[in-house]
């Protein structure tokens, strides 16, 4: 652990100069620090003992200390990943720790622009041509077989992000352009619903309290993205309660209380829900217990950012969402 007042500069270099306890930079870092050390270890592949040693001896990063223990920011996690990669090139942590992120990229043989790259790497190329062909011919058994093949070779995050959701979006777009029939869209949707529901049951762990409750608010009938998010949480080892689509605000709030959930996750795909959806969301924000986190995602979520963000978090993709699952104690399946 570094000395009190140590900080990480905007360029990634450790700043060993004094920092006022109540400075705006310090307050900003405290607000952004969301990951406990166990989550950081899972996200970076660095053991907890090594993380502590890097902080204590080399001030590699300087986490925030509060009543939860060490807490790290996204920038801390990204820098630790970069240090880990540079270390693999034969450099010592003592040499690496004082360097900027740009210098670390150079030592690791990476372009500096890769700092903005997502933390997970696509390990398996996804070829959905066979799936598209099966849909075109209305071959339900072939669709099932191709879904099963993809599920066998892809991690849960990859299955959702790189295969199922893009194919669903493609079928929906083609239907809107009158290049695909409504029957093809229904075939794809029902198959995805079946496979996600099956995985949700497979990953469900007995005697695990429901830490996350999933649903869509009243008027929102598109559930597949939310079902996928529930499956991903279950695959991470977290307790899940999936309620399905189109639920009134009162029922949602009462359900989260009865389940003792820590997080309510809402799926929002409608971009023109109007005042009815706004009223439902305002009721949820108003009545949700203060100790329950509110998360929302889906391509319609941005429309309601002014309602959701003062109370909760919004996710633009499954990768960012999985990071939060790790923060809660989940693992990457």
């Amino acid at each position: 652990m570094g000395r009190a007042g140590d900080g990480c500069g905007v360029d990634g270099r450790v700043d060993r100069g004094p920092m006022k306890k109540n400075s705006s930079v310090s307050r900003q870092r405290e607000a952004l620090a969301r990951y406990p050390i166990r989550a950081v270890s899972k996200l970076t592949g660095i053991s907890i003992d090594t993380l502590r040693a890097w902080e204590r001896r080399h001030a590699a990063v300087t986490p925030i200390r509060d009543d939860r223990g060490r807490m790290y920011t996204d920038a801390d996690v990204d820098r630790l990943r970069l240090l880990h990669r540079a270390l693999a090139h034969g450099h010592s942590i003592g040499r690496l720790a004082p360097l900027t992120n740009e210098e670390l990229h150079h030592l690791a043989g990476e372009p500096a622009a890769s700092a903005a790259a997502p933390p997970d790497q696509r390990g398996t190329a996804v070829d959905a041509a066979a799936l598209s062909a099966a849909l075109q011919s209305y071959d339900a058994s072939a669709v099932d077989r191709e879904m099963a093949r993809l599920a066998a070779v892809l991690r849960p995050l990859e299955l959702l992000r790189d295969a199922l959701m893009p194919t669903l979006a493609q079928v929906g777009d083609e239907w809107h352009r009158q290049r695909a029939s409504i029957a093809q869209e229904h075939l794809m949707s029902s198959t995805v619903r079946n496979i996600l529901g099956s995985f949700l049951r497979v990953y469900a762990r007995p005697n695990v309290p429901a830490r996350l409750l999933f649903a869509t608010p009243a008027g929102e009938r598109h559930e597949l993205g939310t079902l996928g998010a529930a499956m991903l949480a279950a695959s991470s080892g977290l307790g899940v309660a999936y309620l399905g689509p189109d639920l009134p605000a009162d029922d949602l709030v009462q359900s989260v209380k009865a389940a003792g959930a820590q997080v309510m996750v809402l799926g929002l795909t409608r971009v023109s829900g109007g005042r009815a959806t706004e009223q439902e969301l305002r009721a949820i924000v108003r009545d949700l217990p203060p100790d329950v986190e509110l998360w929302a995602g889906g391509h319609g979520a941005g429309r309601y950012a002014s309602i959701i963000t003062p109370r909760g978090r919004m996710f633009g993709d499954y990768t960012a969402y999985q990071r939060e699952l790790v923060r809660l104690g989940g693992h990457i399946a």
Side-chain angles (χ1 to χ4, degrees):
M1 184 67 186
R3 300 188 304 271
D6 284 357
C8 187
V10 294
D11 64 349
R13 184 188 297 273
V14 174
D15 179 5
R16 303 180 191 277
M19 179 184 289
K20 294 182 180 179
K21 184 176 181 180
N22 294 321
S23 69
S24 60
V25 174
S26 178
R27 290 195 299 271
Q28 183 181 25
R29 276 183 50 78
E30 290 176 5
L32 294 173
R34 297 184 289 110
Y35 302 104
I37 193 168
R38 290 187 180 277
V40 172
S41 178
K42 293 176 183 178
L43 287 167
T44 62
I46 305 169
S47 72
I48 292 175
D49 288 341
T50 299
L51 285 171
R52 288 172 174 158
W54 285 10
E55 295 158 16
R56 183 176 62 254
R57 300 173 188 170
H58 306 288
V61 295
T62 306
I64 297 297
R65 285 269 197 166
D66 62 14
D67 56 359
R68 298 168 293 177
R70 287 177 170 88
M71 299 297 293
Y72 299 75
T73 65
D74 285 309
D76 291 334
V77 172
D78 291 340
R79 179 168 172 80
L80 286 166
R81 282 201 185 96
L82 185 52
L83 285 166
H84 199 205
R85 294 198 298 272
L87 201 69
H89 286 257
H91 304 289
S92 69
I93 187 61
R95 181 191 176 193
L96 296 174
L99 301 181
T100 66
N101 287 352
E102 184 177 356
E103 291 167 331
L104 290 171
H105 278 293
H106 179 73
L107 283 179
E110 304 171 353
S114 66
D120 57 291
Q121 301 296 322
R122 268 77 165 167
T124 306
V126 177
D127 181 4
L131 180 59
S132 297
L135 284 170
Q136 290 294 329
S137 60
Y138 297 90
D139 189 339
S141 61
V143 172
D144 283 336
R145 286 196 305 272
E146 186 59 18
M147 288 282 195
R149 184 191 71 82
L150 291 171
V153 300
L154 298 175
R155 294 164 45 214
L157 174 60
E158 294 169 334
L159 179 66
L160 284 171
R161 182 194 60 201
D162 303 339
L164 299 188
M165 294 305 152
T167 305
L168 272 173
Q170 179 183 352
V171 172
D173 289 343
E174 290 180 351
W175 175 69
H176 282 293
R177 295 171 184 170
Q178 297 183 337
R179 296 176 182 173
S181 69
I182 188 64
Q184 288 170 323
E185 193 275 336
H186 282 190
L187 174 60
M188 181 65 185
S189 296
S190 62
T191 304
V192 170
R193 184 179 294 107
N194 288 340
I195 195 167
L196 290 178
S198 297
F199 273 112
L200 184 59
R201 291 188 291 273
V202 166
Y203 286 124
R205 299 171 61 193
N207 304 318
V208 176
R211 302 186 68 183
L212 299 99
L213 183 142
F214 296 81
T216 74
E220 176 62 74
R221 296 182 176 86
H222 296 283
E223 64 171 318
L224 294 182
T226 311
L227 181 56
M231 184 275 285
L232 195 57
S235 76
S236 298
L238 299 173
V240 166
Y242 181 72
L243 304 186
D246 196 15
L247 291 175
D250 288 346
D251 288 346
L252 285 173
V253 172
Q254 291 304 315
S255 295
V256 81
K257 291 177 180 177
Q262 294 175 282
V263 183
M264 176 187 288
V265 185
L266 297 178
L268 297 163
T269 64
R270 298 177 68 199
V271 294
S272 58
R275 285 192 57 82
T277 301
E278 291 182 8
Q279 290 172 353
E280 288 292 304
L281 292 175
R282 291 186 190 280
I284 292 170
V285 168
R286 181 191 66 226
D287 298 334
L288 194 65
D291 59 340
V292 176
E293 296 185 37
L294 176 62
W295 298 358
H299 61 254
R303 173 183 172 89
Y304 308 104
S306 62
I307 301 173
I308 295 168
T309 52
R311 173 62 173 82
R313 294 182 54 78
M314 292 175 54
F315 299 99
D317 55 51
Y318 283 117
T319 302
Y321 164 75
Q322 187 175 66
R323 257 190 160 176
E324 290 301 295
L325 297 179
V326 172
R327 177 179 68 85
L328 288 183
H331 58 79
I332 298 176

